[in-house]
Structures are given as C-alpha cells and as structure tokens.
Amino acid sequence: MERKLTEEISNHNFIAFIWHGIFLSLASNFMDIHTIIPSMLIKAGGGAISLGVLTTIMVGGSSIVQIVFAGFISNRKRKKTTLISAISLRVFTLLLLAVILFLSDYISGWVTITAIFILISIFSFSGSYANISYMDILGKSIIADKRKKFFTIKQTVSSIGILLSAFIVRNLLKQYSYPQNYGILLFSAGLLLFIASLGFWRIKEINSKINKKVSLREFIKMIPYEFSQNANIKNYLIIINFFGLAFSLIPFMVLFAKKNFVFS
C-alpha cells in the first residue's frame, strides 16, 4: 500500500526540511568552493589554464550533467536514497579536501591538483544529482497550502544562518593562516552538511506518479521543444546563466588578487 500525503506526514516533512535548511545555511559560507578551491589550486602551482578547466567543471559541467541526471531520475518513484547518496558524496569530498589542506605541506603540487580536479568533479556532479531529487521530494512531501509558509520560514532561518556563519568564517580566517584556515572551513562545512542531511533521513517520502517511463534518448529529444514552448524554462536559463557568469569570474579574480597583492 502506497503512502499518501496526510496533514501529519506533511508536518513531519516540514520540520525535516527546515532542519536541513538551517544547517545548510550555516554550512554555505564554510563551503565557498568558488574562492577556497581556486586558492588551493594556485597554491599548489596551478595557473590560468587549470583554473579555467576547474571553473568549467564547477559551473558548466554540473549544469550539463544535471540534464542527463534529470532523465535518469525522472523514472524513479522514490528518490530519497538518491538524494542521501548524493549528499553523502558531497560530505565525503569536503572532508577529504580538508585533509588534503591539512597535509598540503607534505603532498606534492601535482598530487594536490589532481585530487582537486577529481574531488571537485564529484562534488559538482553529485550536487546536480542531489538538487533534482531535492526539488522532486519537496514538491510531493508538503501540502500545497503549507508551502508558502515553508518557504517563508526557510528563507528567514537561512538568512540568519548565512549571516551568522559569515561572522564565524571571517574570524576563523583572521585567527588562522593558510592552509589551516581553509582546512577548518572545509571540515566544518562537511560536518554541518552531514548534520543537515540528517533531516533527509527523517523524510517520509511519497511515491511519484509515473505514467510512462522515458528513456534518456526520448528525454533529450524533448528538451528543444520544452525550451521553445515553455517561457518559465527560458527565464530560468537566463537567470542561471547570469549567475553562472558571475560565479565563473570569481576564481579568476582570486588568481588576479594572488598575483598582484600580498596576503598574510
């Protein structure tokens, strides 16, 4: 017998998603990979070309992979396991990056650069995987009438969490020098993201309704039609590309700052 979305289950899931939102907002400034990872790459001996490839993976690669994942995940009735698996991969990569930072004095530059590319690829691609599952589960886990209240509370607690974590991160960066400061940030990010993911373990998932299973080839063929007919998708792509351009500039700004300014 399939589980139905009742008021009780909706309230239960409401709390689980808010729990996730609180700790994710606290982790957000700790896992600012757009500044931390480029700094790691530059310190290890990476240049503009390697930084460009890394930026492509972080910004463009994850978006492309998301299209493939969407077609794969859409055929699944339950996506909670997929979501938890993807988040666990992100936790693992953050903790391993922290370890690399702590041991950076004993690791050669090329090993560090190779590890960065592998781990950031896993981090970015698993993030795309997790985001699709998250949105699908959220849409069917909370009663429609409660969603406005949910997003209002989530935005409020997220804003407070981001502000609080910004003060903590600033003090940590002042108190410790590289690589200990970034290592502490990434380790804390992994720990906070793990705590945030505990909310997903508590979710009582409702099965998705799948009228027809769509193959990856059929899904890809549907994309041009949806782009041409759906105005919401067009607006979404414009916004995503705008923010993607802004984020893609950050690593190069870090490179410029490292070469032209002296940091303690």
Side-chain angles (χ1 to χ4, degrees):
M1 183 177 179
E2 291 189 358
R3 178 184 291 154
K4 293 183 178 181
L5 183 59
T6 63
E7 186 83 20
E8 181 182 355
I9 291 177
S10 176
N11 291 336
H12 176 91
N13 292 337
F14 188 105
I15 295 172
F17 275 104
I18 291 296
W19 170 280
H20 170 262
I22 291 172
F23 287 97
L24 179 63
S25 66
L26 290 171
S28 60
N29 285 311
F30 286 91
M31 61 177 181
D32 186 9
I33 62 170
H34 295 284
T35 55
I36 296 176
I37 303 305
S39 295
M40 285 181 65
L41 188 67
I42 295 166
K43 287 282 188 180
I49 295 177
S50 57
L51 195 59
V53 175
L54 182 69
T55 303
T56 301
I57 295 172
M58 290 193 296
V59 179
S62 59
S63 300
I64 295 173
V65 171
Q66 194 168 14
I67 296 176
V68 178
F69 284 160
F72 174 72
I73 297 175
S74 62
N75 292 323
R76 294 190 171 191
K77 289 185 177 181
R78 302 176 70 86
K79 302 174 178 67
K80 177 178 173 179
T81 302
T82 302
L83 176 60
I84 293 174
S85 299
I87 295 297
S88 298
L89 273 175
R90 302 201 102 192
V91 171
F92 171 76
T93 55
L94 287 171
L95 295 177
L96 196 50
L97 282 168
V99 172
I100 292 173
L101 272 167
F102 287 132
L103 300 177
S104 59
D105 291 338
Y106 309 98
I107 303 175
S108 64
W110 72 269
V111 172
T112 301
I113 292 173
T114 302
I116 288 173
F117 276 108
I118 294 174
L119 293 175
I120 286 302
S121 296
I122 296 173
F123 184 86
S124 299
F125 298 160
S126 61
S128 300
Y129 206 56
N131 188 54
I132 300 169
S133 303
Y134 174 86
M135 297 307 297
D136 182 274
I137 295 173
L138 176 62
K140 63 187 181 182
S141 296
I142 298 175
I143 294 174
D145 294 341
K146 298 291 183 68
R147 290 173 193 165
K148 182 178 180 180
K149 179 182 178 182
F150 167 77
F151 284 111
T152 301
I153 295 176
K154 183 176 180 294
Q155 186 60 46
T156 301
V157 298
S158 295
S159 298
I160 296 172
I162 291 173
L163 182 62
L164 179 61
S165 66
F167 283 112
I168 298 174
V169 168
R170 186 184 66 175
N171 290 329
L172 285 173
L173 290 175
K174 286 182 178 180
Q175 187 173 355
Y176 297 95
S177 59
Y178 183 90
Q180 284 73 27
N181 52 4
Y182 283 167
I184 293 172
L185 291 186
L186 289 178
F187 182 84
S188 300
L191 182 60
L192 288 168
L193 192 59
F194 170 73
I195 297 173
S197 70
L198 295 179
F200 293 144
W201 288 90
R202 296 285 299 163
I203 291 173
K204 295 181 178 179
E205 186 179 4
I206 308 299
N207 286 354
S208 300
K209 293 181 180 179
I210 301 176
N211 297 323
K212 177 186 175 182
K213 287 192 174 183
V214 180
S215 66
L216 180 59
R217 178 180 295 181
E218 291 173 327
F219 181 82
I220 293 175
K221 286 182 178 180
M222 292 167 55
I223 294 175
Y225 175 80
E226 289 295 329
F227 283 170
S228 62
Q229 300 297 320
N230 195 323
N232 289 330
I233 291 181
K234 291 179 181 178
N235 294 332
Y236 174 75
L237 287 175
I238 291 173
I239 295 172
I240 290 298
N241 287 324
F242 176 78
F243 282 108
L245 177 62
F247 280 121
S248 66
L249 293 175
I250 293 176
F252 295 99
M253 292 172 65
V254 172
L255 177 61
F256 175 81
K258 292 286 184 181
K259 288 188 173 182
N260 292 276
F261 301 96
V262 178
F263 297 92
S264 57

